């Protein structure tokens, strides 16, 4: 569902409500409540996890022409599959991989499957392997019918009706399982890194560099050099004062380094009115990225975004250089020959640069089948450049027509919750609850009288009410609009309910907090000595700075060498 909701909501059986409940019922007034009035967290006692490998599998809704039938849908055509929360997206992805292997003879080593995070990649890889193994066991008689998902039984029956040879299917599954270590399941950064490393000669990519999370120290060096040089050249005191703040120049340089030249926004900031200052700004935009690139080469480091930019530029080539264009074409052909299927998970979080890389690969071979899966209503990275493109936009960029389909059944929630959240959707969708609790007549409440400082106590009361009614703790979820609200809330809930086992960001030993010395120490401990040396030295420097300034701990000279 959409992530815009900031209401404090609770779904609970009506018999648990009392006359003293001081909450305003929202069910009839959902559309009249403004976003500004909504204050904090959403709490739902619900069945939260459909997507286990053992359980009911997603089924298509035959009443909807656009509803996606993962057992029968044509495979070898470009598709945009809209999959809202709880509709069995990951299950559908792993089953599509199974069908590509069994029906189209596309081994997992010839599929490019991309998702957004390393954790999601690891989970997806494990679940795909498990799904292929289960079907192989079923087809060979190793697994009993009762030991596998019902969808695999239905798929086996369907293949028999289609006249597919079981021996051929088993052979294809066995081959993919044997090659599974070579499965092309990556984050976009991991994919770019592998393509550049495996094709260093074809791409002209540099080798022998250290991959780092950021180059903030080099960015600061470039900005400070620019400020020192500019101060000598500017005659007006106002201009000198305006250019002396490094913060804004660091931000501009980070924007410039986030994309190649032809994808950088044409106007990052408006030009200053002062001619001298405008000239200095234009010089910075032109020269600072080059200076930063030089410093990174000298330090032999690259960031994760550098991998994307480098692969894009290698695939693009230099329009004015015939040899560069020929080399770009050879690289594109080399990559496209390695894959027959491209499947992109969480497409709504894909940015312009990532789309461009994929488009150049598909344009090199229109026979590659590409599928995007995700939900525009879950676009949480739009602030970082994520774009949920429409089928028309994808067709224009990739040069192929996209079919659209939807997963329309929600396995996690009640229909009332789904209908309520439709008020907050960015892109309208038709979702039907098909879980065991789909008709549960809970009640949604909205309380605009609670002062924000009292929210943890009120939410703790709601949790206790649910726990006392027999709902287990793992079926209760507290959600807030942004991470910075979850951290203090989780800590206060833990203080209010010390006997309740919370699974939340703040419950981890050290939450993300760059000013917490224990967080920095944990980060240092979990990075391997001898690798990412620059990163480790920076962590040590930040750690010692905090101890010296806040706790007056003195360190001997040269302690970090």
């Amino acid at each position: 569902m959409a992530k815009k909701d900031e209401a404090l909501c609770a779904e609970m059986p009506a018999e648990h409500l009392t006359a003293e409940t001081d909450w305003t019922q929202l069910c009839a007034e959902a559309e009249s409540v403004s976003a500004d009035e909504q204050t904090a967290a959403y709490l739902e006692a619900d069945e939260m996890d459909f997507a286990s490998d053992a359980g009911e599998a997603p089924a298509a809704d035959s009443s909807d022409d656009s509803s996606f039938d993962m057992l029968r849908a044509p495979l070898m055509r470009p598709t945009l599959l809209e999959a809202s929360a709880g509709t069995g997206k990951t299950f559908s992805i792993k089953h599509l991989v199974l069908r590509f292997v069994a029906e189209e003879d596309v081994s997992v080593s010839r599929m490019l499957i991309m998702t957004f995070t390393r954790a999601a990649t690891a989970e997806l890889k494990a679940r795909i392997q498990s799904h292929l193994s289960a079907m192989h066991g079923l087809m060979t008689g190793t697994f009993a019918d009762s030991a596998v998902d019902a969808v695999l039984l239905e798929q086996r029956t369907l293949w028999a009706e289609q006249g597919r040879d079981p021996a051929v299917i088993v052979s294809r599954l066995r081959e993919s399982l044997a090659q599974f270590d070579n499965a092309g399941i990556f984050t976009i950064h991991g994919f770019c890194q592998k393509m550049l490393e495996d094709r260093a000669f074809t791409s002209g990519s540099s080798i022998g560099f250290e991959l780092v999370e950021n180059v903030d120290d080099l960015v600061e060096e470039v900005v400070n050099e620019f400020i020192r040089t500019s101060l000598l050249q500017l005659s007006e005191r106002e201009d000198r004062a305006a250019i002396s703040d490094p913060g804004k120049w660091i931000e501009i340089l980070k924007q410039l380094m986030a994309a190649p030249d032809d994808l950088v926004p044409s106007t990052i900031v408006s030009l200053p009115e002062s001619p001298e200052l405008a000239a200095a700004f234009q010089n910075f935009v032109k020269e600072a990225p080059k200076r930063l690139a030089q410093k990174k080469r000298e330090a032999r480091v690259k960031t994760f975004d550098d991998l994307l930019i480098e692969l894009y530029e290698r695939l693009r080539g230099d329009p004015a250089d015939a040899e560069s264009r020929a080399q770009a074409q050879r690289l594109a052909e080399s990559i496209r020959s390695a894959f027959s299927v491209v499947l992109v998970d969480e497409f709504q979080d894909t940015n312009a640069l990532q789309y461009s890389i994929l488009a150049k690969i598909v344009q090199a071979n229109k026979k590659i089948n590409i599928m995007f899966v995700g939900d525009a209503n879950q676009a949480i990275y739009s602030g970082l450049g994520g774009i949920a493109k429409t089928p028309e936009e994808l067709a224009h960029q990739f040069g192929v027509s996209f079919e659209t389909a939807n997963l329309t059944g929600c396995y996690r929630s009640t229909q009332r919750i789904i209908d309520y959240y439709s008020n907050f959707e960015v892109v309208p969708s038709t979702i039907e609850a098909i879980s065991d609790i789909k008709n549960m007549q809970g009640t949604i409440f909205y309380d605009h009288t609670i002062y924000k400082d009292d929210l943890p106590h009120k939410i703790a009361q709601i949790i206790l009410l649910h726990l006392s009614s027999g709902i287990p703790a793992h079926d209760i979820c507290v959600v807030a609009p942004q991470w910075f609200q979850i951290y203090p809330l989780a800590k206060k809930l833990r203080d209010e309910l010390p006997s309740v086992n919370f699974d939340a960001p703040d419950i981890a030993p050290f939450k993300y907090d760059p000013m917490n010395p224990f967080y920095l120490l944990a980060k240092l401990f979990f990075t391997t000595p001898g690798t990412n040396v620059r990163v480790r030295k920076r962590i040590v420097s930040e750690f010692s700075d905090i101890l010296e300034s806040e706790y007056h701990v003195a360190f001997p000279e040269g302690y970090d060498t």
Side-chain angles (χ1 to χ4, degrees):
M1 295 296 106
K3 295 191 170 84
K4 289 186 175 180
D5 182 32
E6 299 179 6
L8 171 62
C9 306
E11 181 176 16
M12 62 187 70
E15 60 266 23
H16 294 148
L17 305 178
T18 66
E20 289 75 33
T21 304
D22 185 23
W23 298 336
T24 304
Q25 187 167 355
L26 182 62
C27 297
E29 299 94 356
E31 295 187 1
S32 66
V33 179
S34 70
D36 290 339
E37 289 176 319
Q38 298 170 346
T39 50
Y42 166 79
L43 183 145
E44 179 180 350
D46 207 344
E47 295 294 332
M48 293 302 296
D49 186 19
F50 151 73
S52 63
D53 284 332
E56 185 181 9
D61 179 2
S62 58
S63 64
D64 184 350
D65 290 342
S66 68
S67 185
F68 187 75
D69 184 347
M70 66 178 177
L71 280 77
R72 299 171 179 82
L75 293 175
M76 301 306 287
R77 67 181 186 187
T79 302
L80 174 60
L81 178 58
E82 291 276 0
S84 297
T87 56
K89 173 177 67 73
T90 305
F91 196 108
S92 296
I93 290 174
K94 72 179 183 181
H95 196 74
L96 286 171
V97 172
L98 168 66
R99 287 187 58 206
F100 276 120
V101 171
E103 298 178 21
E104 301 294 340
D105 195 19
V106 179
S107 170
V108 290
S109 62
R110 290 191 54 78
M111 293 187 213
L112 171 57
I113 304 168
M114 292 195 302
T115 190
F116 201 69
T117 67
R118 282 176 287 184
T121 300
E123 179 190 1
L124 187 59
K125 191 169 187 177
R127 292 182 62 182
I128 289 173
Q129 185 177 27
S130 175
H131 202 57
L132 296 181
S133 297
M135 180 55 93
H136 181 269
L138 178 65
M139 297 292 288
T140 58
T142 306
F143 292 170
D145 289 6
S146 59
V148 300
D149 273 300
V151 72
L152 296 183
L153 303 178
E154 186 177 354
Q155 188 70 73
R156 182 184 61 178
T157 300
L158 182 59
W159 284 339
E161 293 172 353
Q162 295 170 345
R164 298 185 184 274
D165 186 345
V168 171
I169 293 174
V170 168
S171 175
R172 292 171 178 177
L173 290 171
R174 184 182 297 116
E175 179 186 359
S176 277
L177 288 168
Q179 298 177 358
F180 205 83
D181 286 344
N182 298 321
I185 305 173
F186 305 102
T187 63
I188 181 66
H189 298 94
F191 164 71
C192 292
Q193 182 178 7
K194 183 169 179 59
M195 294 304 100
L196 291 169
E197 289 178 349
D198 289 356
R199 294 161 175 79
F201 179 76
T202 306
S203 67
S205 174
S206 57
I207 58 176
F209 58 86
E210 180 184 357
L211 193 60
V212 298
E213 292 185 12
N214 61 67
V215 287
D216 290 350
D217 50 345
L218 301 183
V219 170
E220 291 180 12
E221 288 179 15
V222 171
V223 167
N224 289 333
E225 288 176 4
F226 162 73
I227 291 176
R228 285 195 300 270
T229 302
S230 299
L231 287 175
L232 297 175
Q233 297 173 346
L234 295 173
S235 56
E236 297 294 331
R237 180 163 49 175
E238 292 81 0
D239 291 347
R240 292 163 64 98
I243 211 169
S244 297
D245 176 19
K248 64 179 181 181
W249 298 109
I250 289 173
E251 184 60 31
I252 291 172
L253 182 51
K254 285 184 175 181
Q255 291 184 55
L256 291 170
M257 62 185 280
D261 295 343
D262 55 338
L263 295 180
V264 172
S266 56
T267 55
I268 296 177
V269 294
S270 57
L271 284 174
E273 293 184 2
S274 164
E276 286 189 350
L277 198 56
F281 172 79
Q282 290 174 325
N283 181 64
F284 180 81
V285 170
K286 179 181 178 182
E287 299 299 331
K290 297 178 183 178
R291 179 61 176 146
L292 179 61
Q294 178 186 350
K295 285 183 173 290
K296 286 191 286 189
R297 285 194 300 271
E298 292 170 351
R300 303 198 66 77
V301 297
K302 290 182 182 180
T303 66
F304 290 100
D305 283 341
D306 287 337
L307 298 174
L308 273 68
I309 294 172
E310 182 172 357
L311 182 57
Y312 171 81
E313 291 178 338
R314 301 297 181 186
L315 287 167
R316 179 193 61 187
D318 184 349
D321 186 334
E323 176 54 33
S324 175
R325 294 197 308 272
Q327 187 177 46
Q329 183 63 26
R330 289 193 296 271
L331 176 61
E333 290 175 354
S334 173
I335 295 175
R336 64 91 173 164
S337 66
F339 301 107
S340 299
V341 171
V342 177
L343 198 157
V344 181
D345 187 20
E346 306 292 7
F347 82 94
Q348 72 276 2
D349 297 327
T350 306
N351 64 29
L353 176 56
Q354 295 162 0
Y355 278 119
S356 297
I357 291 170
L358 294 171
K360 289 188 177 297
I361 295 170
V362 173
Q363 288 165 4
N365 179 12
K366 300 290 182 62
K367 292 182 180 180
I368 289 180
N369 184 61
I370 185 164
M371 177 178 289
F372 289 97
V373 184
D375 180 15
N377 291 311
Q378 297 185 69
I380 60 175
Y381 291 104
S382 57
L384 299 178
I387 307 168
K389 291 202 171 187
T390 65
E392 294 76 19
E393 291 170 329
L394 291 172
H396 176 74
Q397 183 168 16
F398 284 76
V400 294
S401 297
F402 281 80
E403 300 284 342
T404 59
N406 299 274
L407 294 176
T408 57
C410 179
Y411 293 80
R412 290 183 180 172
S413 194
T414 67
Q415 193 63 47
R416 295 192 73 187
I417 288 289
I418 293 170
D419 292 343
Y420 166 64
Y421 271 100
S422 67
N423 294 303
F424 300 93
E425 288 183 324
V426 177
V427 178
S429 63
T430 302
I431 305 298
E432 179 183 356
I434 53 178
S435 65
D436 293 339
I437 60 168
K438 62 182 180 181
N439 295 320
M440 174 181 167
Q441 289 301 301
T443 306
I444 303 171
F445 288 95
Y446 170 68
D447 190 339
H448 56 81
T449 65
I450 302 174
Y451 183 63
K452 63 182 179 66
D453 289 348
D454 296 330
L455 275 174
H457 178 67
K458 179 62 70 173
I459 294 174
Q461 289 182 324
I462 297 172
I463 293 173
L464 285 176
L465 181 62
H466 280 23
L467 293 174
S468 66
S469 72
I471 295 174
H474 64 258
D475 279 351
I476 300 175
C477 181
V478 180
V479 180
Q482 294 174 301
W483 286 107
F484 74 85
Q485 294 167 322
I486 279 289
Y487 289 131
L489 176 62
K491 182 179 185 303
K492 291 175 182 177
L493 286 176
R494 184 178 55 183
D495 293 339
E496 288 252 357
L497 304 172
S499 63
V500 177
N501 183 25
F502 285 95
D503 176 16
D506 193 61
I507 309 306
F510 308 112
K511 68 179 182 180
Y512 173 75
D513 180 0
M515 297 305 294
N516 182 341
F518 296 104
Y519 166 78
L520 294 172
L521 191 61
K523 190 173 180 181
L524 184 65
F525 180 80
F526 287 109
T527 55
T528 306
T531 63
N532 295 327
V533 175
R534 294 175 63 87
V535 175
R536 288 173 58 81
K537 291 194 71 170
R538 185 172 65 251
I539 295 172
V540 169
S541 176
E542 294 170 354
F543 177 74
S544 61
D545 287 347
I546 292 174
L547 292 187
E548 287 179 338
S549 60
E550 300 293 331
Y551 301 97
H552 309 295
V553 176
F555 289 87
E557 192 87 18
Y559 71 94
D560 60 343
T561 58

